[in-house]
Amino acid sequence: MILLQLIINGLLLGGVYVLISIGLTLIFGVVRVINFAHGELLMISMYISYFAYAMLGLHPYASILISVPFMFIIGMVIDRIIIKPLREAPSYMQIFVTVGLSIALLNMALFLFTGDYQSINLPLAKKTINAGSLSISYARVVIFLTSLAVSAGLFLFLKKTDIGKQIRAIAQDRMAAQLVGINLNKLYTLSFGIGSALVAIAGALILPIYYVFPSVGSYFVLTAFVVVVLGGLGNTMGAILGGFIIGVADSLSGYYIDPSLKELVYFIIFLVVLLIRPSGLMGIVGAEEMGLK
Amino acid sequence: MKLRGKNQIKVYATIGSILIFIGLVFVSTNSFYLNILFTIFMFAGISSAWNIIGGFAGQLSLGHSAFYGLGAYTCGLLLVKLGIPPILGIWASIILASLLAIIIGYPCFRLRGPFFTLATIAVGEVLLILAVNMKTVTAGSEGLSIPFHPSLYNLSFQTKTPYALLGLLFMLISLSAAYIIKKTRLGYELVALRDEDQAAESLGVNTTRAKIVALIISAAITALGGGIYAQYVLFLEPHSEFSLATSVNFAMISMVGGLGTLMGPVIGAFILIPLQEFLRAWLGGASQGLYFFIYGVLLILVVMFMPQGIIHFCARPFNKLMQRFSLPEEEFPSHIGTLYEARQVLTKNKQLVTNDMPNEEILKVESVSKRFGGITAVNNVSLSVRKGEILGIIGPNGAGKSTLFNLLSGVYKPDSGLIIYNGITISEIHKSHIICRLGIGRTFQIVKPFENITVLENVMVGSFCRTNSVQKAKRLALELISIAGLMEKKDYICHSLTLADKKRLEVARALATQPTILLLDEVMAGLTTSEVEEAIKWIRMIRELGITIIVVEHVMQAIMSLSDRIMVMAEGKKIAEGPPAEIIHNPLVIKAYLGDEYETPSA
């Protein structure tokens, strides 16, 4: 029974990771930039939802109406101003610039909001669903279901809509996509916006159960990297698989090994995956060698 | 050693700046300034060590805190637990960090670009988690206090002046290491592999070994820095020693100063560290985060608007100043341009040709196949190449010509079949740099020059295949550049060259490896008629030097007049072989090129 509870906890936690990682992997898959400031985008979203609650009394789930459009625009602005001039630059320049963005955003938050941990006290956070001896957090079930819904939505968007098809075309072959008349820059910017908007959903949904503080992003972003590399950088379905695997690994190792060593477990999984199959579980083999042109 | 011109000035400038640094240390009586100086020296030194792998070799590591923290903890723990003085402890730090570099280097260097960076971050995080959790050894998150017993053996002192001098010494050690690397073969190899990994391999550079050696040196110096720093702060805490922020800081100082340059890290440290300390002092705790916000914005601005770093702005006035002295250029031996040296080294093969049996087989390909997924790019091809001949390979696009070259030069390993060169089964090797060293040089269909270094340096990378001496490498390179007609452009940065020049450069670079067989992959494609004629003359001249040549070419008139023999490939198979006159009338060849309708029944 403990095992079942642990696996359920792991899957629910995996939902959190999926929701946070899916935007990161979309941005990488399309724009080919590893956004080191992804964690800070999460942090900003959480603060938006936090202030919407603290000042306007808006329920975090409702604050998505504000934070999603806001982050969508922020994402597009970041791409236009910072990433676009470096599109053709070597990858280390893109890494440096997003690292710089991450440092700047994190410390701007530290300056504006101080380093204090903030949380909202919602009865929702403590609500559980009990089935037999199993106890399941209500807020986490919401996250879990949303992560599935968001993944399905993104999948349908990429599969069915014209823009989605164009985005997939770019992800597969930039050059060919350009040759058939797809406006690359427009879609890069759009994808960056969508990736950031997806983080906003994560930010709002995890607010009831996590503290918000300026460096909350750095706490999550490393896990997000593990998740997306495990699934295959750029592969949205891979991010879902990776998220659930890491969630379950986290939950099991926290119980059976040691709570303080669970991070070690998934960093070791991360290294092993990078070394044995750097393309990830669902990525294209060889992508990491070709440098993904 | 006789110093002349620019070098003399550089030596004076170096001695001058060291004296200024020492002067600065003694002028600063205030411990605030001494602290800044010490920090500048230490960070300049560590960032310079990072720059060896991150800048020279272009492998963006964001895990150098692993080496730094390991160095600090090793040195600190040896003192705390075993009473071993840090002056000995730092050697343990250096050795452990070098071992860690080897252990993580081999697997991580298989990864490219962002994947390498992510792996290094993970290594840093693993060490962080271990340091936090191995409480009995490291005291975990509570931190490790190092007792303060000032003495030279403990590398800790009553006042800050000796610390600043020690910091300066460390920086000079680190800069000397970087200088030596930059000026010797390893430096050329690192820059080459940074720009074009595969081309570097094809010129005999063992890229994995070069990167590992660079990482070991980088790690050892970083650990030394960590060890010294530990004796200054006397308190170690995993989240500051092993943090990602620490790694980012090392990288950023180089980036802001000038990535891959010698003095960039020093300039970066002199700008960023005082900025950090002054802002911290002025703004105080009231404006938490403001300093690092500025830091982050600065990094973004530098990457976007001066990707070559601040040193780029200092370089121009400095060079102008140098020109003022109107110093004589470095002198080269007078026989440059007469091909004295090139003939000496390159014609060694010719003697082999004349002395040995003529028509002796030098390269033998036995039913070689290579498949990619469902496509058989090279299908059961056999081939024999004789010493001193020019063999042409033609065939429609997708016939497998370039794949065959990639098999011959060890880029791919054949799925079946054998390639035997001079009695050695090279198809088993599958390492381009070894094949090059054995004597097979090549060019690439899509040119792969090292874009960010000069023409001369490009060719020198090739010369280093056979020599460790910079002087010798340079002499041979200059001669080959003059044969290639690039003498006027020898100091041009490669990306400014025309396609024709780049192709000539690639041939010169391949020749510099002193090959016995030269594989030329479409060196004439995209050239004008007069350029083609020149190239033909040139290839004949190379053959005169005794080098066996295999040419893949689409320019028919060129290949027909050049080749002694021609092999025709289509859809991965060899369809014909023989002298040019015969090939031209071969019905199979006509069919492959022009389609069935043109098949002539008469043949």
PDB file of all heavy atoms in Angstrom, chain A residues 34 36 81 92 96 103-104 107 111 222 260 270 274-275 288-289, chain B residues 107 110 112 114 121-122 125 133 255 259 288-289 292-293 304:
ATOM      1  N   ILE A  34      18.366  26.668 -25.509  1.00  0.00           N
ATOM      2  CA  ILE A  34      18.060  26.189 -24.168  1.00  0.00           C
ATOM      3  C   ILE A  34      17.876  27.419 -23.308  1.00  0.00           C
ATOM      4  O   ILE A  34      18.810  28.183 -23.100  1.00  0.00           O
ATOM      5  CB  ILE A  34      19.174  25.297 -23.603  1.00  0.00           C
ATOM      6  CG1 ILE A  34      19.301  24.047 -24.463  1.00  0.00           C
ATOM      7  CG2 ILE A  34      18.860  24.923 -22.167  1.00  0.00           C
ATOM      8  CD1 ILE A  34      20.168  22.988 -23.865  1.00  0.00           C
ATOM      9  N   PHE A  36      17.893  29.187 -20.292  1.00  0.00           N
ATOM     10  CA  PHE A  36      18.314  29.078 -18.900  1.00  0.00           C
ATOM     11  C   PHE A  36      17.502  29.988 -17.989  1.00  0.00           C
ATOM     12  O   PHE A  36      17.596  29.888 -16.777  1.00  0.00           O
ATOM     13  CB  PHE A  36      19.805  29.363 -18.763  1.00  0.00           C
ATOM     14  CG  PHE A  36      20.666  28.183 -19.098  1.00  0.00           C
ATOM     15  CD1 PHE A  36      20.971  27.869 -20.411  1.00  0.00           C
ATOM     16  CD2 PHE A  36      21.148  27.353 -18.105  1.00  0.00           C
ATOM     17  CE1 PHE A  36      21.738  26.770 -20.729  1.00  0.00           C
ATOM     18  CE2 PHE A  36      21.920  26.247 -18.414  1.00  0.00           C
ATOM     19  CZ  PHE A  36      22.217  25.957 -19.720  1.00  0.00           C
ATOM     20  N   ILE A  81      13.727  40.729 -28.598  1.00  0.00           N
ATOM     21  CA  ILE A  81      14.806  41.643 -28.224  1.00  0.00           C
ATOM     22  C   ILE A  81      16.125  40.919 -28.000  1.00  0.00           C
ATOM     23  O   ILE A  81      17.181  41.371 -28.441  1.00  0.00           O
ATOM     24  CB  ILE A  81      14.411  42.437 -26.949  1.00  0.00           C
ATOM     25  CG1 ILE A  81      13.182  43.303 -27.268  1.00  0.00           C
ATOM     26  CG2 ILE A  81      15.567  43.310 -26.479  1.00  0.00           C
ATOM     27  CD1 ILE A  81      12.688  44.116 -26.122  1.00  0.00           C
ATOM     28  N   TYR A  92      26.923  28.819 -27.597  1.00  0.00           N
ATOM     29  CA  TYR A  92      27.360  29.310 -26.284  1.00  0.00           C
ATOM     30  C   TYR A  92      26.911  30.751 -26.048  1.00  0.00           C
ATOM     31  O   TYR A  92      26.672  31.157 -24.925  1.00  0.00           O
ATOM     32  CB  TYR A  92      28.881  29.162 -26.110  1.00  0.00           C
ATOM     33  CG  TYR A  92      29.729  30.035 -26.985  1.00  0.00           C
ATOM     34  CD1 TYR A  92      29.980  31.351 -26.651  1.00  0.00           C
ATOM     35  CD2 TYR A  92      30.306  29.544 -28.148  1.00  0.00           C
ATOM     36  CE1 TYR A  92      30.758  32.157 -27.455  1.00  0.00           C
ATOM     37  CE2 TYR A  92      31.092  30.333 -28.963  1.00  0.00           C
ATOM     38  CZ  TYR A  92      31.310  31.639 -28.613  1.00  0.00           C
ATOM     39  OH  TYR A  92      32.069  32.439 -29.411  1.00  0.00           O
ATOM     40  N   PHE A  96      24.881  32.009 -22.853  1.00  0.00           N
ATOM     41  CA  PHE A  96      25.297  33.148 -22.037  1.00  0.00           C
ATOM     42  C   PHE A  96      24.167  34.165 -21.880  1.00  0.00           C
ATOM     43  O   PHE A  96      23.925  34.682 -20.796  1.00  0.00           O
ATOM     44  CB  PHE A  96      26.492  33.864 -22.673  1.00  0.00           C
ATOM     45  CG  PHE A  96      27.810  33.393 -22.152  1.00  0.00           C
ATOM     46  CD1 PHE A  96      28.773  32.879 -23.005  1.00  0.00           C
ATOM     47  CD2 PHE A  96      28.108  33.474 -20.802  1.00  0.00           C
ATOM     48  CE1 PHE A  96      29.990  32.444 -22.526  1.00  0.00           C
ATOM     49  CE2 PHE A  96      29.324  33.046 -20.314  1.00  0.00           C
ATOM     50  CZ  PHE A  96      30.267  32.528 -21.179  1.00  0.00           C
ATOM     51  N   ILE A 103      19.944  35.695 -14.404  1.00  0.00           N
ATOM     52  CA  ILE A 103      20.527  36.430 -13.267  1.00  0.00           C
ATOM     53  C   ILE A 103      19.792  37.760 -13.068  1.00  0.00           C
ATOM     54  O   ILE A 103      19.432  38.125 -11.949  1.00  0.00           O
ATOM     55  CB  ILE A 103      22.035  36.693 -13.513  1.00  0.00           C
ATOM     56  CG1 ILE A 103      22.805  35.379 -13.611  1.00  0.00           C
ATOM     57  CG2 ILE A 103      22.615  37.567 -12.409  1.00  0.00           C
ATOM     58  CD1 ILE A 103      24.258  35.560 -14.029  1.00  0.00           C
ATOM     59  N   ALA A 104      19.548  38.456 -14.175  1.00  0.00           N
ATOM     60  CA  ALA A 104      18.905  39.768 -14.086  1.00  0.00           C
ATOM     61  C   ALA A 104      17.488  39.652 -13.514  1.00  0.00           C
ATOM     62  O   ALA A 104      17.126  40.390 -12.593  1.00  0.00           O
ATOM     63  CB  ALA A 104      18.873  40.431 -15.460  1.00  0.00           C
ATOM     64  N   ASN A 107      17.404  38.627  -9.759  1.00  0.00           N
ATOM     65  CA  ASN A 107      17.816  39.670  -8.821  1.00  0.00           C
ATOM     66  C   ASN A 107      16.908  40.887  -8.856  1.00  0.00           C
ATOM     67  O   ASN A 107      16.807  41.616  -7.876  1.00  0.00           O
ATOM     68  CB  ASN A 107      19.275  40.035  -9.065  1.00  0.00           C
ATOM     69  CG  ASN A 107      20.179  38.908  -8.614  1.00  0.00           C
ATOM     70  OD1 ASN A 107      20.371  38.724  -7.430  1.00  0.00           O
ATOM     71  ND2 ASN A 107      20.661  38.111  -9.551  1.00  0.00           N
ATOM     72  N   PHE A 111      15.271  42.338  -5.581  1.00  0.00           N
ATOM     73  CA  PHE A 111      15.278  43.769  -5.283  1.00  0.00           C
ATOM     74  C   PHE A 111      13.855  44.256  -5.015  1.00  0.00           C
ATOM     75  O   PHE A 111      13.601  44.979  -4.057  1.00  0.00           O
ATOM     76  CB  PHE A 111      15.899  44.515  -6.467  1.00  0.00           C
ATOM     77  CG  PHE A 111      15.903  45.999  -6.312  1.00  0.00           C
ATOM     78  CD1 PHE A 111      16.606  46.614  -5.280  1.00  0.00           C
ATOM     79  CD2 PHE A 111      15.222  46.804  -7.216  1.00  0.00           C
ATOM     80  CE1 PHE A 111      16.610  47.986  -5.138  1.00  0.00           C
ATOM     81  CE2 PHE A 111      15.218  48.184  -7.082  1.00  0.00           C
ATOM     82  CZ  PHE A 111      15.917  48.783  -6.040  1.00  0.00           C
ATOM     83  N   LEU A 222      16.486  23.204 -12.791  1.00  0.00           N
ATOM     84  CA  LEU A 222      17.411  22.088 -12.973  1.00  0.00           C
ATOM     85  C   LEU A 222      16.632  20.784 -13.157  1.00  0.00           C
ATOM     86  O   LEU A 222      16.963  19.963 -13.994  1.00  0.00           O
ATOM     87  CB  LEU A 222      18.374  21.995 -11.790  1.00  0.00           C
ATOM     88  CG  LEU A 222      19.428  23.120 -11.762  1.00  0.00           C
ATOM     89  CD1 LEU A 222      20.253  23.070 -10.486  1.00  0.00           C
ATOM     90  CD2 LEU A 222      20.335  23.056 -12.978  1.00  0.00           C
ATOM     91  N   SER A 260      17.032  13.554   1.335  1.00  0.00           N
ATOM     92  CA  SER A 260      18.003  14.550   0.901  1.00  0.00           C
ATOM     93  C   SER A 260      18.838  14.061  -0.278  1.00  0.00           C
ATOM     94  O   SER A 260      19.580  14.822  -0.874  1.00  0.00           O
ATOM     95  CB  SER A 260      18.920  14.922   2.068  1.00  0.00           C
ATOM     96  OG  SER A 260      19.564  13.756   2.528  1.00  0.00           O
ATOM     97  N   PHE A 270      20.069  11.702 -14.948  1.00  0.00           N
ATOM     98  CA  PHE A 270      20.332  12.721 -15.967  1.00  0.00           C
ATOM     99  C   PHE A 270      21.673  12.463 -16.663  1.00  0.00           C
ATOM    100  O   PHE A 270      21.762  12.405 -17.893  1.00  0.00           O
ATOM    101  CB  PHE A 270      20.348  14.073 -15.258  1.00  0.00           C
ATOM    102  CG  PHE A 270      20.572  15.267 -16.135  1.00  0.00           C
ATOM    103  CD1 PHE A 270      19.755  15.526 -17.219  1.00  0.00           C
ATOM    104  CD2 PHE A 270      21.588  16.173 -15.847  1.00  0.00           C
ATOM    105  CE1 PHE A 270      19.941  16.658 -18.003  1.00  0.00           C
ATOM    106  CE2 PHE A 270      21.776  17.297 -16.624  1.00  0.00           C
ATOM    107  CZ  PHE A 270      20.956  17.541 -17.705  1.00  0.00           C
ATOM    108  N   LEU A 274      22.342  11.345 -20.466  1.00  0.00           N
ATOM    109  CA  LEU A 274      23.167  12.178 -21.354  1.00  0.00           C
ATOM    110  C   LEU A 274      24.291  11.367 -21.968  1.00  0.00           C
ATOM    111  O   LEU A 274      24.654  11.553 -23.122  1.00  0.00           O
ATOM    112  CB  LEU A 274      23.772  13.341 -20.566  1.00  0.00           C
ATOM    113  CG  LEU A 274      22.980  14.637 -20.533  1.00  0.00           C
ATOM    114  CD1 LEU A 274      23.683  15.661 -19.667  1.00  0.00           C
ATOM    115  CD2 LEU A 274      22.802  15.201 -21.934  1.00  0.00           C
ATOM    116  N   LEU A 275      24.865  10.473 -21.179  1.00  0.00           N
ATOM    117  CA  LEU A 275      26.037   9.752 -21.660  1.00  0.00           C
ATOM    118  C   LEU A 275      25.678   8.559 -22.519  1.00  0.00           C
ATOM    119  O   LEU A 275      26.363   8.250 -23.479  1.00  0.00           O
ATOM    120  CB  LEU A 275      26.907   9.322 -20.474  1.00  0.00           C
ATOM    121  CG  LEU A 275      27.363  10.528 -19.649  1.00  0.00           C
ATOM    122  CD1 LEU A 275      28.132  10.100 -18.427  1.00  0.00           C
ATOM    123  CD2 LEU A 275      28.184  11.471 -20.499  1.00  0.00           C
ATOM    124  N   GLU A 288      22.106  15.351 -30.799  1.00  0.00           N
ATOM    125  CA  GLU A 288      23.055  16.061 -29.957  1.00  0.00           C
ATOM    126  C   GLU A 288      24.421  16.177 -30.622  1.00  0.00           C
ATOM    127  O   GLU A 288      25.199  17.041 -30.311  1.00  0.00           O
ATOM    128  CB  GLU A 288      23.160  15.372 -28.593  1.00  0.00           C
ATOM    129  CG  GLU A 288      23.950  14.078 -28.557  1.00  0.00           C
ATOM    130  CD  GLU A 288      23.342  12.949 -29.367  1.00  0.00           C
ATOM    131  OE1 GLU A 288      22.140  13.003 -29.686  1.00  0.00           O
ATOM    132  OE2 GLU A 288      24.080  12.026 -29.701  1.00  0.00           O
ATOM    133  N   GLU A 289      24.696  15.277 -31.568  1.00  0.00           N
ATOM    134  CA  GLU A 289      26.000  15.306 -32.238  1.00  0.00           C
ATOM    135  C   GLU A 289      25.981  16.317 -33.379  1.00  0.00           C
ATOM    136  O   GLU A 289      26.949  17.005 -33.627  1.00  0.00           O
ATOM    137  CB  GLU A 289      26.323  13.915 -32.802  1.00  0.00           C
ATOM    138  CG  GLU A 289      26.525  12.870 -31.744  1.00  0.00           C
ATOM    139  CD  GLU A 289      27.988  12.529 -31.569  1.00  0.00           C
ATOM    140  OE1 GLU A 289      28.732  12.650 -32.550  1.00  0.00           O
ATOM    141  OE2 GLU A 289      28.374  12.159 -30.452  1.00  0.00           O
TER     142      GLU A 289
ATOM    143  N   PRO B 107      33.491  10.962 -20.903  1.00  0.00           N
ATOM    144  CA  PRO B 107      32.083  10.890 -21.335  1.00  0.00           C
ATOM    145  C   PRO B 107      31.520  12.225 -21.814  1.00  0.00           C
ATOM    146  O   PRO B 107      30.840  12.279 -22.824  1.00  0.00           O
ATOM    147  CB  PRO B 107      31.347  10.389 -20.087  1.00  0.00           C
ATOM    148  CG  PRO B 107      32.260  10.634 -18.949  1.00  0.00           C
ATOM    149  CD  PRO B 107      33.649  10.603 -19.483  1.00  0.00           C
ATOM    150  N   ARG B 110      31.934  13.697 -25.418  1.00  0.00           N
ATOM    151  CA  ARG B 110      31.204  13.117 -26.539  1.00  0.00           C
ATOM    152  C   ARG B 110      30.004  13.991 -26.888  1.00  0.00           C
ATOM    153  O   ARG B 110      29.424  13.866 -27.953  1.00  0.00           O
ATOM    154  CB  ARG B 110      30.723  11.705 -26.177  1.00  0.00           C
ATOM    155  CG  ARG B 110      31.850  10.686 -26.176  1.00  0.00           C
ATOM    156  CD  ARG B 110      31.398   9.355 -25.641  1.00  0.00           C
ATOM    157  NE  ARG B 110      30.129   8.952 -26.193  1.00  0.00           N
ATOM    158  CZ  ARG B 110      29.146   8.417 -25.478  1.00  0.00           C
ATOM    159  NH1 ARG B 110      29.292   8.234 -24.176  1.00  0.00           N
ATOM    160  NH2 ARG B 110      28.027   8.066 -26.040  1.00  0.00           N
ATOM    161  N   ARG B 112      27.950  17.613 -27.525  1.00  0.00           N
ATOM    162  CA  ARG B 112      28.258  18.859 -28.204  1.00  0.00           C
ATOM    163  C   ARG B 112      27.374  19.990 -27.706  1.00  0.00           C
ATOM    164  O   ARG B 112      26.256  19.765 -27.257  1.00  0.00           O
ATOM    165  CB  ARG B 112      28.010  18.716 -29.701  1.00  0.00           C
ATOM    166  CG  ARG B 112      28.751  17.599 -30.365  1.00  0.00           C
ATOM    167  CD  ARG B 112      29.961  18.120 -31.107  1.00  0.00           C
ATOM    168  NE  ARG B 112      30.636  17.065 -31.855  1.00  0.00           N
ATOM    169  CZ  ARG B 112      31.455  16.184 -31.322  1.00  0.00           C
ATOM    170  NH1 ARG B 112      31.718  16.220 -30.027  1.00  0.00           N
ATOM    171  NH2 ARG B 112      32.031  15.264 -32.057  1.00  0.00           N
ATOM    172  N   PRO B 114      25.075  22.698 -26.326  1.00  0.00           N
ATOM    173  CA  PRO B 114      24.306  22.830 -25.084  1.00  0.00           C
ATOM    174  C   PRO B 114      24.282  21.540 -24.265  1.00  0.00           C
ATOM    175  O   PRO B 114      24.167  21.596 -23.049  1.00  0.00           O
ATOM    176  CB  PRO B 114      22.896  23.179 -25.559  1.00  0.00           C
ATOM    177  CG  PRO B 114      22.891  23.126 -27.033  1.00  0.00           C
ATOM    178  CD  PRO B 114      24.282  23.038 -27.518  1.00  0.00           C
ATOM    179  N   ILE B 121      26.850  21.113 -15.844  1.00  0.00           N
ATOM    180  CA  ILE B 121      26.010  21.626 -14.747  1.00  0.00           C
ATOM    181  C   ILE B 121      25.636  20.476 -13.812  1.00  0.00           C
ATOM    182  O   ILE B 121      25.718  20.594 -12.590  1.00  0.00           O
ATOM    183  CB  ILE B 121      24.722  22.288 -15.296  1.00  0.00           C
ATOM    184  CG1 ILE B 121      25.069  23.582 -16.030  1.00  0.00           C
ATOM    185  CG2 ILE B 121      23.737  22.575 -14.170  1.00  0.00           C
ATOM    186  CD1 ILE B 121      23.882  24.266 -16.676  1.00  0.00           C
ATOM    187  N   ALA B 122      25.264  19.351 -14.421  1.00  0.00           N
ATOM    188  CA  ALA B 122      24.860  18.196 -13.610  1.00  0.00           C
ATOM    189  C   ALA B 122      26.013  17.712 -12.740  1.00  0.00           C
ATOM    190  O   ALA B 122      25.811  17.359 -11.576  1.00  0.00           O
ATOM    191  CB  ALA B 122      24.369  17.073 -14.515  1.00  0.00           C
ATOM    192  N   GLU B 125      26.251  19.922  -9.808  1.00  0.00           N
ATOM    193  CA  GLU B 125      25.152  19.678  -8.869  1.00  0.00           C
ATOM    194  C   GLU B 125      25.374  18.398  -8.066  1.00  0.00           C
ATOM    195  O   GLU B 125      25.076  18.350  -6.875  1.00  0.00           O
ATOM    196  CB  GLU B 125      23.820  19.583  -9.614  1.00  0.00           C
ATOM    197  CG  GLU B 125      23.337  20.894 -10.195  1.00  0.00           C
ATOM    198  CD  GLU B 125      23.073  21.957  -9.127  1.00  0.00           C
ATOM    199  OE1 GLU B 125      22.438  21.649  -8.108  1.00  0.00           O
ATOM    200  OE2 GLU B 125      23.534  23.096  -9.321  1.00  0.00           O
ATOM    201  N   ASN B 133      25.543  16.296   1.763  1.00  0.00           N
ATOM    202  CA  ASN B 133      25.105  15.102   2.474  1.00  0.00           C
ATOM    203  C   ASN B 133      26.195  14.313   3.187  1.00  0.00           C
ATOM    204  O   ASN B 133      25.909  13.534   4.078  1.00  0.00           O
ATOM    205  CB  ASN B 133      24.330  14.186   1.525  1.00  0.00           C
ATOM    206  CG  ASN B 133      22.954  14.758   1.249  1.00  0.00           C
ATOM    207  OD1 ASN B 133      22.100  14.771   2.115  1.00  0.00           O
ATOM    208  ND2 ASN B 133      22.788  15.298   0.056  1.00  0.00           N
ATOM    209  N   MET B 255      33.905  36.016 -20.534  1.00  0.00           N
ATOM    210  CA  MET B 255      33.014  36.472 -21.607  1.00  0.00           C
ATOM    211  C   MET B 255      33.029  37.991 -21.709  1.00  0.00           C
ATOM    212  O   MET B 255      33.144  38.548 -22.797  1.00  0.00           O
ATOM    213  CB  MET B 255      31.595  35.973 -21.302  1.00  0.00           C
ATOM    214  CG  MET B 255      30.555  36.347 -22.320  1.00  0.00           C
ATOM    215  SD  MET B 255      30.721  35.422 -23.842  1.00  0.00           S
ATOM    216  CE  MET B 255      30.133  36.611 -25.028  1.00  0.00           C
ATOM    217  N   LEU B 259      36.286  36.379 -24.643  1.00  0.00           N
ATOM    218  CA  LEU B 259      36.348  34.922 -24.645  1.00  0.00           C
ATOM    219  C   LEU B 259      37.492  34.430 -25.532  1.00  0.00           C
ATOM    220  O   LEU B 259      37.657  34.901 -26.650  1.00  0.00           O
ATOM    221  CB  LEU B 259      35.010  34.393 -25.169  1.00  0.00           C
ATOM    222  CG  LEU B 259      34.631  32.968 -24.823  1.00  0.00           C
ATOM    223  CD1 LEU B 259      34.398  32.826 -23.338  1.00  0.00           C
ATOM    224  CD2 LEU B 259      33.373  32.576 -25.585  1.00  0.00           C
ATOM    225  N   GLN B 288      19.108  44.770  -1.861  1.00  0.00           N
ATOM    226  CA  GLN B 288      19.460  43.401  -2.158  1.00  0.00           C
ATOM    227  C   GLN B 288      19.140  43.080  -3.613  1.00  0.00           C
ATOM    228  O   GLN B 288      18.065  43.415  -4.099  1.00  0.00           O
ATOM    229  CB  GLN B 288      18.623  42.501  -1.252  1.00  0.00           C
ATOM    230  CG  GLN B 288      19.309  41.238  -0.842  1.00  0.00           C
ATOM    231  CD  GLN B 288      18.351  40.373  -0.041  1.00  0.00           C
ATOM    232  OE1 GLN B 288      17.234  40.776   0.265  1.00  0.00           O
ATOM    233  NE2 GLN B 288      18.805  39.188   0.294  1.00  0.00           N
ATOM    234  N   GLY B 289      20.075  42.470  -4.302  1.00  0.00           N
ATOM    235  CA  GLY B 289      19.769  42.019  -5.650  1.00  0.00           C
ATOM    236  C   GLY B 289      20.123  43.026  -6.727  1.00  0.00           C
ATOM    237  O   GLY B 289      20.345  42.662  -7.867  1.00  0.00           O
ATOM    238  N   PHE B 292      23.448  42.306  -8.565  1.00  0.00           N
ATOM    239  CA  PHE B 292      23.439  41.176  -9.490  1.00  0.00           C
ATOM    240  C   PHE B 292      22.503  41.428 -10.673  1.00  0.00           C
ATOM    241  O   PHE B 292      22.697  40.890 -11.746  1.00  0.00           O
ATOM    242  CB  PHE B 292      23.041  39.870  -8.777  1.00  0.00           C
ATOM    243  CG  PHE B 292      24.226  39.157  -8.213  1.00  0.00           C
ATOM    244  CD1 PHE B 292      24.440  39.089  -6.848  1.00  0.00           C
ATOM    245  CD2 PHE B 292      25.158  38.569  -9.061  1.00  0.00           C
ATOM    246  CE1 PHE B 292      25.543  38.427  -6.338  1.00  0.00           C
ATOM    247  CE2 PHE B 292      26.258  37.915  -8.556  1.00  0.00           C
ATOM    248  CZ  PHE B 292      26.453  37.841  -7.197  1.00  0.00           C
ATOM    249  N   PHE B 293      21.499  42.274 -10.449  1.00  0.00           N
ATOM    250  CA  PHE B 293      20.643  42.656 -11.569  1.00  0.00           C
ATOM    251  C   PHE B 293      21.492  43.372 -12.623  1.00  0.00           C
ATOM    252  O   PHE B 293      21.448  43.035 -13.814  1.00  0.00           O
ATOM    253  CB  PHE B 293      19.510  43.561 -11.075  1.00  0.00           C
ATOM    254  CG  PHE B 293      18.707  44.162 -12.189  1.00  0.00           C
ATOM    255  CD1 PHE B 293      17.884  43.380 -12.971  1.00  0.00           C
ATOM    256  CD2 PHE B 293      18.793  45.521 -12.470  1.00  0.00           C
ATOM    257  CE1 PHE B 293      17.153  43.933 -14.014  1.00  0.00           C
ATOM    258  CE2 PHE B 293      18.069  46.079 -13.513  1.00  0.00           C
ATOM    259  CZ  PHE B 293      17.252  45.282 -14.285  1.00  0.00           C
ATOM    260  N   MET B 304      25.256  40.685 -26.593  1.00  0.00           N
ATOM    261  CA  MET B 304      24.552  41.190 -27.760  1.00  0.00           C
ATOM    262  C   MET B 304      25.346  42.227 -28.538  1.00  0.00           C
ATOM    263  O   MET B 304      25.299  42.253 -29.766  1.00  0.00           O
ATOM    264  CB  MET B 304      23.207  41.785 -27.344  1.00  0.00           C
ATOM    265  CG  MET B 304      22.251  40.712 -26.863  1.00  0.00           C
ATOM    266  SD  MET B 304      20.653  41.366 -26.449  1.00  0.00           S
ATOM    267  CE  MET B 304      20.106  41.913 -28.037  1.00  0.00           C
TER     268      MET B 304
END
